[in-house]
Amino acid sequence: MSFLSQPVEHNSKLLFVNFNQDSSSLQTGSKTGFKLYPLNSVENLEFTHENNERPNIHLVERLFASSLVALVSSDHPRKLDVCHFKKGSEICNYSYSNAILAVKLNRMRLVVCLEESLYIHNIRDMKVLHTIRDTPPNPKGICALSPHNEHAYLAYPGSVQTGEVQIFDTIALRAVINISAHDNPLAAVAFNPQGTRLATASEKGTVIRIFSLPDGAKLFEFRRGLKRCADIQCLAFSVDSVFLCTCSNTETVHIFKLEEQKEKPQEDTSWMGILNSTFRTSASYLPAGISDVMNQGRSFATARLPHAGLKSVCTIAPLQKIPRLLVATHEGHLYIYNIDPNEGGECTLLRTHMLEGQPPEHASLLEEGSSDRPLTQTGHHDESSSYAASVRRPQSSNSSEAMAPTGKPRTPLVAPPSELWKRDKSYADMLKGGGPQEATADINPIALMDELISEGDSLPYQDLMEGAVGGEEPIGALRIHDDSEFPPMSHKSL
């Protein structure tokens, strides 16, 4: 449920936006840093944490409602920082042989996705448990990690030609199943909260399929549209796994209801019911492709964004004990819609919030015409302009990640997580200077690294084949379930 930005528009500061695992929080990354927003009210949206010490944040992932966040900056695209933002301390950092395209978290594992490999960390001590190497090229960083502790499956593309999905068990550290989900390459994957279902979409974007796990049986098949293809940007289940929402580069957000068909449905005697029954009966005599289209489900509900072409993520979250559709856009807006859980239909826009203090453009104006209008191209975007293409190449010699004279890339220092970030001193200054004020015992209860690996600007080298580097010093086991260690953030509504 995340995206890496394409070249940023002149009127937007957001580089990243995403919901956390249970949709209780929204996190954004920008040129100036990152922000965390709790989601507990329709009327109010206020960030509980803002950090402007690290610029150009392209990835920020939060562990549920805890104080643990994982950060990646475009200034150091191969470096992952794991931080305790409430205490203002860094737990550890790792550097990888290539750019980080996605980071996924649950209470058991942390997964780092590179273009052709995946690293699985134990989140309690941040050690690398397993590396999946030589995966099919995945420049968009398409992957998903189940939020469930026991069914902690990882999904990633198994082919560049077709929509194969590889399912890997991150607890047992073994491959589970390969699912042939689509004829076209994958565009998006998502697990339900229980880790028992997987939703998939292909680059064609017309069909959404849902499979059961771990057997890989197809449960549902929905058709997003008939006329045009679409770039599926996000798939997300509701907390109870009853609904699935999806957004694309069109202005229509689709919601599907996952209902098992009754064995003896009540006969509909209306003319429309008779017509539908006739179509279903005749479908068995038609070619397989046409028959499949006629038997695919349609969206239960839809919502309209102000216009097409918005880069967005969506989710269904209970706000004030009522399920709502939330759509966050790259332009810096959060749209909240009301859903009729019984009748479906057109969702009602309840509120528009600004994430970066920018007035929403055309917030109340919905364009007329097709309800599923495709993206209007505003510029030429080729492979060289993508985030993966811009960061996979060696950085300039002025960058701390530049190639060393020996031909090996420099690796950032493992930062001292027992030290605090100071508002009046940048992180770079902390590394070069005398260091910030040390944390007191009540702020730093776990035994973390005590000092920098090396002094000054002398940085260790990393061989490309060595994989993840960092976190060499042991750290105490992180008490993920202990509220005294990672307490949920409280937010007072006005």
Side-chain angles (χ1 to χ4, degrees), residues 79-353:
K79 180 183 175 184
L80 171 70
D81 293 312
V82 181
C83 308
H84 194 310
F85 71 79
K86 188 176 182 181
K87 295 176 183 177
S89 62
E90 183 175 81
I91 296 171
C92 65
N93 65 49
Y94 277 85
S95 291
Y96 304 84
S97 58
N98 217 327
I100 301 171
L101 301 181
V103 178
K104 304 297 179 182
L105 304 169
N106 62 25
R107 290 190 175 94
M108 301 297 292
R109 299 290 183 256
L110 180 149
V111 175
V112 176
C113 176
L114 310 186
E115 185 169 354
E116 295 185 356
S117 58
L118 295 126
Y119 290 83
I120 302 173
H121 295 251
N122 180 11
I123 202 170
R124 293 181 178 275
D125 57 14
M126 299 301 169
K127 296 299 182 182
V128 178
L129 297 177
H130 187 79
T131 304
I132 304 174
R133 299 186 184 275
D134 300 322
T135 61
N138 182 18
K140 295 182 180 179
I142 298 170
C143 64
L145 177 66
S146 166
H148 198 273
N149 288 352
E150 296 180 3
H151 305 139
Y153 297 125
L154 170 67
Y156 61 94
S159 171
V160 294
Q161 288 84 22
T162 63
E164 293 184 10
V165 188
Q166 292 279 358
I167 305 297
F168 188 89
D169 189 334
T170 63
I171 302 300
L173 300 179
R174 62 179 180 85
V176 177
I177 193 172
N178 184 312
I179 302 175
S180 297
H182 302 272
D183 294 332
N184 297 290
L186 285 177
V189 291
F191 288 99
N192 70 332
Q194 296 75 30
T196 57
R197 292 181 175 182
L198 176 74
T200 66
S202 73
E203 290 182 351
K204 190 174 181 180
T206 54
V207 176
I208 311 296
R209 294 190 173 101
I210 299 176
F211 302 88
S212 66
L213 295 174
D215 58 5
K218 186 172 68 175
L219 300 177
F220 301 95
E221 186 172 77
F222 299 102
R223 178 160 288 271
R224 183 203 55 80
L226 287 171
K227 296 181 179 180
R228 296 181 177 92
C229 300
D231 177 16
I232 301 295
Q233 299 169 352
C234 180
L235 294 169
F237 285 89
S238 60
V239 176
D240 56 7
S241 299
V242 174
F243 297 100
L244 175 76
C245 60
T246 177
C247 56
S248 66
N249 58 347
T250 71
E251 73 271 33
T252 307
V253 180
H254 295 266
I255 300 175
F256 304 97
K257 194 170 185 178
L258 312 184
E259 289 183 317
E260 297 290 348
Q261 187 175 2
K262 299 179 181 180
E263 295 183 359
K264 295 182 179 180
Q266 184 177 359
E267 184 178 358
D268 188 350
T269 57
S270 66
W271 69 270
M272 184 58 72
I274 296 174
L275 183 61
N276 289 336
S277 177
T278 302
F279 274 127
R280 286 193 297 268
T281 302
S282 61
S284 59
Y285 301 99
L286 296 174
I290 301 177
S291 176
D292 291 342
V293 170
M294 296 181 64
N295 289 324
Q296 289 164 349
R298 298 294 186 268
S299 55
F300 170 78
T302 58
R304 296 286 301 279
L305 295 175
H307 51 83
L310 297 178
K311 192 74 174 178
S312 59
V313 291
C314 60
T315 190
I316 297 177
L319 297 185
Q320 298 167 330
K321 299 182 180 181
I322 300 176
R324 316 282 189 181
L325 171 66
L326 283 70
V327 183
T329 71
H330 176 247
E331 289 188 345
H333 304 140
L334 174 65
Y335 300 98
I336 302 178
Y337 296 84
N338 186 49
I339 306 171
D340 188 329
N342 298 317
E343 300 297 330
E346 187 75 16
C347 298
T348 305
L349 179 62
L350 300 177
R351 191 83 175 183
T352 300
H353 294 287

